[in-house]
Amino acid sequence: PNLQEYSVFVQDEWRPRRDLTLNLGLRYDLMKTDAPPVRNPDAQLAAADIDTSRLDADTNNWGPRLGVAWSPADGRFAVRGGWGLFYGRTPSIMLGTAHSNNGINIVSLTFTGDAVPTYPGSFSQIPSLGTAARPNIFYIDKDFANSRLMQANTAVEWQFQRYTSVTVTYLFVDGADLPRSIDRNLGTASTRTFTLAGSNTTFPYHFYGPDRPFANFTRVIGFEASAESRYHGLTLELTRRLANHLPYRAAYTLGKVEATVPDATAVVPGNA
């Protein structure tokens, strides 16, 4: 779909003291994508406030930035830190899928027996002998927004020899409003118990019943900005400058990330 992106930022650097530098900034991002042109008129969709032609622009993407650097007079020790809000782009494959897969633009038909079309026949209209399948549809949630990342880091650097320094850096990234696709046409959840053949071992199997809330569709998949993530990382880095200004660097990072399954490119129903 047609897409327009606008970004603007202001930035300033201030040195209140000889050994202290502050970087201040503010950025604004706006991503405007054409809304899907077709609304599926299904009454059950309307009752659930699902509109396949909805796509509202996220207009509050203000990203402040702050950076701090402090180094004593001898220059052998330095502390740096930063904080900022960042906004991500929504992949066009997600928005484009909602444009076309609304249950109207794309129709699936099953032909059997003599009704099967033969090559090289062509049709000026949809053949009447095919059996229409219940379609999968995609829509964009009314509260959809661009991804937001809050990132903060701090680093301590120490030059303990003339050409050698060590740096310890901590990085924290908190992700919110991350995109993912969720099927909102699931029946009542139930559990069955199976017994492993040749043994007494049993295990539960969770499944959803056939009582889907939207009877005219198989899957009703909403693109939602509801996933979250959180990252912690600690990096230890050793840097040494050799003769002729050639450096070498060794680093080790210990990181941990937790997320609630963001999947901005999961646009094929049933594809693992």
Side-chain angles (χ1 to χ4, degrees):
N2 292 335
L3 168 67
Q4 301 177 57
E5 291 184 87
Y6 305 92
S7 297
V8 61
F9 72 93
V10 293
Q11 177 179 313
D12 191 21
E13 183 177 294
W14 178 40
R15 299 189 65 183
R17 294 172 17 184
R18 292 187 59 185
D19 60 352
L20 180 64
T21 301
L22 300 178
N23 291 280
L24 306 173
L26 179 65
R27 181 182 176 95
Y28 177 74
D29 293 289
L30 177 63
M31 181 177 180
K32 295 186 66 176
T33 306
D34 284 357
V38 177
R39 177 173 183 171
N40 193 304
D42 183 84
Q44 290 180 322
L45 293 179
D49 196 22
I50 293 178
D51 183 355
T52 60
S53 65
R54 175 189 288 137
L55 176 54
D56 300 323
D58 184 9
T59 59
N60 63 345
N61 295 337
W62 294 96
R65 312 289 167 84
L66 172 64
V68 180
W70 173 68
S71 179
D74 61 5
R76 297 173 58 88
F77 183 78
V79 178
R80 303 180 184 89
W83 175 89
L85 293 181
F86 304 82
Y87 294 89
R89 302 176 70 253
T90 301
S92 292
I93 189 173
M94 170 179 278
L95 303 178
T97 299
H99 268 246
S100 57
N101 290 268
N102 47 42
I104 297 176
N105 286 30
I106 297 177
V107 177
S108 297
L109 300 172
T110 300
F111 297 89
T112 57
D114 295 337
V116 176
T118 57
Y119 179 84
S122 60
F123 304 93
S124 60
Q125 60 184 7
I126 297 177
S128 60
L129 298 179
T131 301
R134 288 191 304 170
N136 298 304
I137 68 169
F138 295 79
Y139 71 96
I140 301 169
D141 185 69
K142 63 181 180 179
D143 296 321
F144 191 84
N146 292 103
S147 303
R148 180 185 63 80
L149 294 177
M150 190 275 286
Q151 179 172 308
N153 68 82
T154 182
V156 179
E157 182 178 357
W158 175 42
Q159 183 181 354
F160 62 92
Q161 292 183 359
R162 181 178 180 184
Y163 298 113
T164 307
S165 63
V166 61
T167 305
V168 179
T169 304
Y170 170 70
L171 173 64
F172 173 74
V173 182
D174 183 76
D177 297 335
L178 305 180
R180 61 179 173 182
S181 54
I182 298 181
D183 187 0
R184 293 302 181 185
N185 200 25
L186 300 178
T188 303
S190 301
T191 302
R192 295 172 180 168
T193 301
F194 288 88
T195 302
L196 186 64
S199 72
N200 295 323
T201 303
T202 61
F203 60 93
Y205 174 74
H206 307 288
F207 72 100
Y208 297 93
D211 54 333
R212 299 178 183 269
F214 306 105
N216 296 323
F217 308 97
T218 301
R219 296 176 186 257
V220 177
I221 298 178
F223 292 134
E224 303 181 4
S226 55
E228 299 176 346
S229 68
R230 182 161 294 176
Y231 172 81
H232 299 270
L234 184 66
T235 299
L236 179 64
E237 183 177 358
L238 179 68
T239 304
R240 179 173 174 81
R241 190 177 67 216
L242 303 179
N244 300 321
H245 306 288
L246 293 176
Y248 76 81
R249 175 181 297 169
Y252 175 79
T253 298
L254 177 65
K256 177 183 179 181
V257 63
E258 296 176 308
T260 56
V261 197
D263 55 355
T265 57
V267 297
V268 180
N271 186 346

